[in-house]
Each structure stands twice: as structure tokens, then as C-alpha cells.
Amino acid sequence: MKKIINKPENVVDEMLKGLVLAHPKYLTRIDGFEVITRAGKKVGKVALVSGGGSGHEPSHAGFVGEGMLDAAVCGAVFTSPTPDQVFEAIKGVKTDAGVLLIIKNYTGDVMNFEMAMEMAEAEDIKVDKVVIDDDVAVMNSTWTVGRRGIAGTVLLHKITGAAAESGKDLAGVKAVAEKVIANVRSMGVALTPCVVPEAGKPSFTLEEDEMEVGLGIHGEPGVEKMKIKTADEIADILMGKILGDMPLQSGDEVVVLVNGLGGTPLMEMYVVNRKVNEILAGKGVKIIDTVVGNYMTSIEMAGLSLSVLKLDDELKALYGAKADTPALKSFG
């Protein structure tokens, strides 16, 4: 295992210290907890809390800031954060308008976030939740009942964050989040496994000429292993499954996210994006925005996922609202 770390057991703590030191204008940390919060907390609006296991950077802490999340809870690598951690995040960012928990559909995440929600309600904190399950690859997997939540979560953070920033109440923000969840679909492919620092070995095996279609962001099994395909063939496979689950009509407007899993060059992601645009243009679908890069990774896994979000007028306006977070910032 070759990694630029110190002790594996310290990697999350040291990562978070480095993250806050890099972005002090954006981020603070709750002492004693793996929780990153928004610097300069904004009062009077619904607060958004998300998170999960570490290893998916820049998700989720990189999306803490104006127009997106108010707190991110960072569990151990590929491990759900504890209820106590989530509860501290809720307490750290709560406002009179309430708190909305954004949970990816993994058994541990759902259980621990819901336990934290009960703890908050016991202290009369107004809190609600949504669960995202955008992965169309499999209905049940190693860590889930039902579909998994993957990179479509980033688009959910963006639009729900805009809804909260605009002053919508808790019910209104939740309604927007549920609309996004109903209209976003994702699917991924991996060319190599990743290595969890404390495990010290690859999470699964693939031959040199193999890829795995539809795997999860923690290396959970996908639909099938197959001989590696060309970029166009991969785009056809992933988009075929996405569009089979969410048919689009000529004139529909969408956002496309081509998300790297950590070890894939931008060159290759742009090649795939070219084919995705061709597929959608052939159906008369209008792409309002295309986002290409590493947004929800799997440590150093080579591969990518595609997400397509169907827009209506409300979602389109919210998507275009201002957001300013470490993962979205430019130099300066």
C-alpha cells in the first residue's frame, strides 16, 4: 500500500485539520468531533446537515458553505458517522427555522442519522430528513435495502442549499429536496479497486482487462464484471440504464454530472462527456449545465459515475443560485 499518510487510524482527524487550515474563511470544526461547520453561521434559515464515511472527498465537507451545506459529519473511512457525531452537527448549526438531514441510502447512515434525529427531537430541536437513492444499478446491495445514494447527492446539496438560502421554511426545503430525489439518476463503473488505509489492501479485485459496472462508492458489488469497453461503450451502458429508469422527452432540460471516483484523469471524463452529450442531443434533450470532475470519490479508485437531473422551472432557478464552498471555489 502506497499512501501519503501518517498512521491510518489518524487519517480522518489529520485530514480535517488540514481542510480547515486550508479554508478558514469557509469552515470551522466542532472540537472533539469529526464535524465541519460553516464559518459565519447564517441565522434564520433552515440548516442542512449531510455526511457519511470519509474517503469520498470533496464530499461532504467540501460542500459546506454559502448556498449548500451548513455542516458535514465525517465518519471513519467508508464507515457511517455515529449518532453522537450527527447530533453534535445538528446542535452546532440549528436555527429556529429547523434542520434538514440529507442522508444517502446506506443502512448505517440511515440508522445513525435517524437516531440523532430522535436525540434532537428529545431536546425540542425542529428536524426532518430526506434519503437519496439515485443509483439505478442495483435495488439491494451489500450495505443497503433499496437503491444506494451516490453522486447525485451533490446536485441535491446544491439545489436544496439554494432553497434553504432563499428563506423557504423546513417543509418547503424538504419538498424541494424530495423533488430533486425523484428526478435524479446515477450509475458508475470502476476500472480498479481502492485501498482503505486501515485495511491496507484492495477492497476487491479486477483483472487488467476487466471493469465492474454499477458498483457502489465503497466498492460494493455492481451489476457485472466485463471486459473493459471503450469510452463510448461505457457511456452507452450507463446512460442506457439511467434513461431506462427515467425516460426523457424532447425538450426536457437536464444537468449532467460526470463524476470521477478519484483515480481517473479529466481527459477521460471529458471523452465520456462528449458521448453523453451526443446521446442526449439525439433525444432532443437540452443540457443546461455540465459538471465534470471529482465530486464524490472512492479514495483512489479509477472509474466514474454519470448523474442526470431532470429540471423544472423551480429546480432550474435554484440550481442557478449562488453557491460558494471550498469544493467550488477558484483561486483567490
Side-chain angles (χ1 to χ4, degrees), residues 77-289:
V77 177
F78 290 1
T79 303
S80 300
T82 66
D84 285 346
Q85 288 178 297
V86 181
F87 183 42
E88 287 299 319
I90 294 170
K91 290 192 296 181
V93 300
K94 66 181 176 67
T95 72
D96 290 341
V99 178
L100 184 68
L101 306 181
I102 297 176
I103 311 167
K104 298 189 304 303
N105 190 35
Y106 294 96
T107 301
D109 285 12
V110 172
M111 179 177 67
N112 291 346
F113 273 75
E114 286 182 345
M115 288 177 65
M117 182 174 169
E118 292 172 1
M119 295 162 69
E121 289 171 337
E123 295 200 5
D124 295 323
I125 298 172
K126 186 190 303 182
V127 60
D128 208 336
K129 66 177 173 68
V130 294
V131 179
I132 181 167
D133 56 354
D134 55 309
D135 187 1
V136 300
V138 292
M139 278 303 300
N140 296 289
S141 67
T142 310
W143 294 350
T144 62
V145 176
R147 292 177 170 177
R148 304 173 291 214
I150 57 172
T153 308
V154 177
L155 301 175
L156 176 61
H157 291 162
K158 175 67 185 70
I159 292 178
T160 309
E165 204 80 32
S166 73
K168 286 183 179 290
D169 63 13
L170 184 56
V173 174
K174 180 177 180 177
V176 167
E178 289 177 331
K179 186 189 290 189
V180 174
I181 292 167
N183 287 281
V184 65
R185 301 291 188 276
S186 305
M187 188 168 171
V189 61
L191 307 184
T192 67
C194 61
V195 177
V196 174
E198 291 202 30
K201 60 183 180 180
S203 54
F204 59 94
T205 59
L206 282 173
E207 299 299 328
E208 282 296 315
D209 62 346
E210 281 186 326
M211 65 181 193
E212 182 148 2
V213 177
L215 86 168
I217 55 174
H218 312 96
E220 310 97 311
V223 177
E224 65 174 310
K225 292 180 181 179
M226 62 177 68
K227 297 297 183 182
I228 193 164
K229 306 294 185 183
T230 66
D232 284 3
E233 290 170 331
I234 289 171
D236 277 329
I237 291 168
L238 300 183
M239 288 298 293
K241 192 70 183 288
I242 288 170
L243 296 176
D245 194 85
M246 184 181 67
L248 295 174
Q249 308 300 319
S250 179
D252 284 343
E253 296 182 323
V254 301
V255 172
V256 171
L257 170 60
V258 181
N259 172 65
L261 298 179
T264 296
L266 278 169
M267 174 191 291
E268 296 172 23
M269 287 188 261
Y270 284 125
V271 172
V272 171
N273 180 59
R274 173 195 124 271
K275 181 62 176 178
V276 171
N277 275 250
E278 178 185 301
I279 291 168
L280 291 172
K283 293 183 173 296
V285 174
K286 183 177 181 181
I287 299 174
I288 297 301
D289 192 30

